[in-house]
Amino acid sequence: MKRAIISGANGFVGGAVVRELLQNKYEILALDRDGCSWNLPKDERVQFVPCDLTEMMYLNEKLPKERYDIFYHFAWAGSAGPARADTTLQLQNAKWTIDALRAAKELGCGRFLCAGSIMEHETMAAAYAQGNQPGPGYIYGGGKLIAHVMCMSVAAQIGIDLIWPEITNAYGIGEHSPRLVNTTIQKCMRGEVPQFTAGTQNYDFVYIDDVAKAFRLIGEKGKPFYEYLIGSSHARPLREFLQEMQEAIAPELTFQFGDIPFTGINLPLERFDCSQTELHTGFRAEISFAEGCRRTMEWWKEQENVR
């Protein structure tokens, strides 16, 4: 039986990966802040160990001296909301990621996977576009990019296989952040007409269950020092996704496009290509955006009923 360590295990993506690994006969050592374990399955194969990001460098002192196979690093402070623009915090996240990488080596893990982001590529494009004035969200992307570059070098130096999956846009049941899918669904539930940019920028979304499966397969089959994009394999202009959402969950509403200016970077469609992920790992997303939105909306309705 394989044994995995997962930081940020109580989070949206981390919790989904815990459940995916359990279904595939893993034992899991789950790390998160003290008291943050409500999203973890009640299973004897899951051991929760309180661990703050600031404690990553001392992780080998906290954990049982046993054999571990893979370290999944999802813990990242300020991944949503105003904290994405906190320069000190995002630089610290990069340092904590390197601490986790070194700890993984000390604990005997052969592989280290960090949750990267397509924002890394968007950040590069934004930084090197002449005359462009990048928005504060690229500070978060810069933190991910710094972590990626430094981890590559450190992993090569200390002798551990680094694999860097990059998520396009994960969404679905269990996410409470104020990101696009959630805010749009909530407006639809209230009968409000959502307003967007023209929606011509290229985009992709991938449902959380598919994301979790991708991380498992990349952890098992991915090649060392490769990056693997996790997406739907059906990237297209944002407007087409939103129209698919409207037809699936709010056919009575008419989404409005063009009222809000778009100030970001539009990546080319080839940047969303997941063919290498499919080739090396066999992963391919299975849940359509329409189906994922329906599932997510039903979950939000349940949350409202609980309140």
Side-chain angles (χ1 to χ4, degrees):
M1 182 175 288
K2 291 186 177 180
R3 307 189 78 241
I5 302 173
I6 301 181
S7 72
N10 194 59
F12 174 50
V13 176
V17 173
V18 169
R19 292 186 287 274
E20 170 70 20
L21 295 186
L22 282 177
Q23 291 174 7
N24 288 273
K25 300 181 179 179
Y26 279 72
E27 290 183 354
I28 297 161
L29 205 153
L31 310 177
D32 215 307
R33 292 170 296 172
D34 192 14
C36 295
S37 60
W38 62 84
N39 191 34
L40 295 175
K42 305 301 181 185
D43 192 296
E44 62 182 9
R45 294 170 295 164
V46 179
Q47 179 183 356
F48 176 69
V49 176
C51 181
D52 190 83
L53 279 165
T54 59
E55 301 175 284
M56 281 294 169
M57 67 175 63
Y58 311 113
L59 192 58
N60 65 323
E61 301 173 10
K62 295 173 66 73
L63 302 189
K65 298 297 187 287
E66 300 179 11
R67 184 186 63 83
Y68 304 98
D69 300 293
I70 304 175
F71 193 120
Y72 288 94
H73 185 59
F74 296 112
W76 191 277
S79 59
R84 287 168 69 97
D86 186 329
T87 54
T88 300
L89 181 60
Q90 297 305 335
L91 286 169
Q92 192 65 57
N93 274 316
K95 193 264 184 186
W96 288 327
T97 303
I98 296 166
D99 289 344
L101 174 66
R102 293 187 184 278
K105 174 63 177 180
E106 292 173 358
L107 290 163
C109 295
R111 323 198 100 191
F112 182 90
L113 281 76
C114 181
S117 170
I118 198 168
M119 274 290 292
E120 297 172 45
H121 298 280
E122 191 174 328
T123 299
M124 287 285 287
Y128 291 100
Q130 299 286 56
N132 183 46
Q133 299 182 33
Y138 291 113
I139 294 171
Y140 161 78
K144 286 287 187 180
L145 188 59
I146 291 167
H148 187 169
V149 173
M150 289 190 174
C151 280
M152 291 281 282
S153 293
V154 172
Q157 291 170 16
I158 65 177
I160 186 172
D161 289 348
L162 176 72
I163 308 171
W164 201 268
E166 295 169 342
I167 306 170
T168 52
N169 285 282
Y171 73 100
I173 292 174
E175 184 190 25
H176 292 88
S177 75
R179 299 200 303 144
L180 180 63
V181 170
N182 280 343
T183 56
T184 303
I185 286 176
Q186 289 164 355
K187 287 178 180 178
C188 291
M189 288 170 59
R190 295 191 297 265
E192 299 177 16
V193 175
Q195 297 180 335
F196 309 99
T197 67
T200 56
Q201 66 269 37
N202 293 323
Y203 228 78
D204 197 7
F205 292 97
V206 57
Y207 190 70
I208 186 60
D209 291 0
D210 283 326
V211 172
K213 182 178 180 181
F215 270 104
R216 176 180 63 82
L217 290 171
I218 292 169
E220 293 172 350
K221 301 179 181 181
K223 296 184 178 182
F225 296 93
Y226 272 67
E227 61 183 75
Y228 291 101
L229 194 66
I230 300 175
S232 72
S233 295
H234 296 289
R236 53 196 189 275
L238 176 60
R239 181 169 183 154
E240 295 183 21
F241 278 105
L242 294 172
Q243 288 172 332
E244 183 178 348
M245 176 194 284
Q246 181 263 326
E247 292 171 3
I249 68 170
E252 73 284 359
L253 297 178
T254 302
F255 287 8
Q256 294 184 4
F257 296 92
D259 293 338
I260 301 174
F262 172 65
T263 58
I265 293 291
N266 187 18
L267 294 176
L269 280 175
E270 54 264 27
R271 177 54 68 187
F272 296 86
D273 182 10
C274 300
S275 58
Q276 181 170 262
T277 309
E278 182 177 352
L279 177 65
H280 289 185
T281 72
F283 168 75
R284 190 172 182 86
E286 298 176 353
I287 300 168
S288 71
F289 188 58
E291 175 59 24
C293 288
R294 282 191 288 267
R295 294 184 188 186
T296 307
M297 186 172 190
E298 288 305 311
W299 175 75
W300 272 111
K301 288 179 179 178
E302 292 173 3
Q303 301 304 299
E304 293 294 325
N305 291 335
V306 169
R307 294 176 191 174

